[in-house]
Amino acid sequence: MLTTDRAVERLTENHTVRLNGAEYECTALLTQLREAIASSTGASGGSEGGGLMNLAALTLWDNIDGVARGWQQTFWAGHRGELAQVIRRLPRLIQAAHVLNEIDDALRGRLDALFATWVTQIEDLFDPPRVQELTAPCPTCGERYHQKVTTDERGAVIETVRMAAVIIPVKSGRALVAECRSCGMHWGTERDLSALAAGMGIEADVAALQKLLTISS
């Protein structure tokens, strides 16, 4: 997983990404997200795909903005400033709150993980991973399936799709992580993945699975 510093850099600054032995110069992810929201294709609704991308980008922006400003205000730092400024400031506020025992180790870990999560969410918006579905029930919440509900701007249901609850997003250069769509549980380490397999009644060689997914991606 990305360090907090590296995640903040990707979110707020132009940066270099190394993939498959090559280096690529990338615009700050928040800038990419803002441009997707303001793109003429999405704004004009000229194509269904553009409109959906525009809506997804706006929804993701609002979620990141709300969470980041909410925690900044929780730490008595107000909620003003550009989103990039808020995100640059937030790690220091989290660290200070932890030093002052205002938050415990577990919450500190969850808050630190937010930045890498935002990086993943934005990158996946523009370059979605291939999803491997596991059909056994989630050992944490017991759900085998998850309902994805699509609504229009008025909140009316357009479509309901049933899909596997536990999935493994597969993407070149990304560590193998399983997640449950229903309860949000993640399994990222080899021990976690082995425990997941055991909990689902699956015999799994994690090293072999990682190699297989790398080849198939």
Side-chain angles (χ1 to χ4, degrees), residues 17-171:
V17 173
R18 187 172 183 82
L19 183 63
N20 296 329
E23 289 189 348
Y24 302 89
E25 294 296 325
C26 300
T27 305
L29 291 175
L30 288 177
T31 300
Q32 295 182 42
L33 192 60
R34 187 174 59 243
E35 290 174 349
I37 295 169
S39 66
S40 57
T41 302
S44 66
S47 68
E48 182 179 355
L52 289 174
M53 172 64 79
N54 177 262
L55 177 59
L58 178 59
T59 300
L60 181 53
W61 178 281
D62 285 346
N63 176 264
I64 295 172
D65 186 84
V67 171
R69 292 185 194 279
W71 279 109
Q72 178 170 278
Q73 193 164 16
T74 296
F75 297 135
W76 306 99
H79 62 277
R80 297 182 182 277
E82 295 291 330
L83 180 54
Q85 295 173 324
V86 172
I87 287 179
R88 291 190 195 103
R89 188 182 303 124
L90 192 54
R92 297 193 299 272
L93 298 175
I94 294 170
Q95 181 180 18
H98 185 251
V99 169
L100 295 172
N101 294 318
E102 295 175 359
I103 58 175
D104 60 19
D105 292 346
L107 181 54
R108 165 75 187 271
R110 291 196 296 272
L111 293 178
D112 283 342
L114 283 173
F115 304 94
T117 298
W118 291 333
V119 168
T120 297
Q121 289 173 335
I122 297 173
E123 290 181 339
D124 285 356
L125 179 69
F126 298 114
D127 181 20
R130 183 166 50 83
V131 174
Q132 298 282 347
E133 296 188 332
L134 304 180
T135 56
C138 170
T140 300
C141 68
E143 295 293 333
R144 183 187 296 269
Y145 299 105
H146 175 71
Q147 299 275 49
K148 180 182 179 182
V149 180
T150 303
T151 61
D152 61 19
E153 63 276 7
R154 295 181 297 274
V157 176
I158 299 173
E159 182 183 34
T160 301
V161 178
R162 189 174 79 159
M163 56 188 70
V166 182
I167 62 170
I168 302 177
V170 181
K171 194 170 181 178

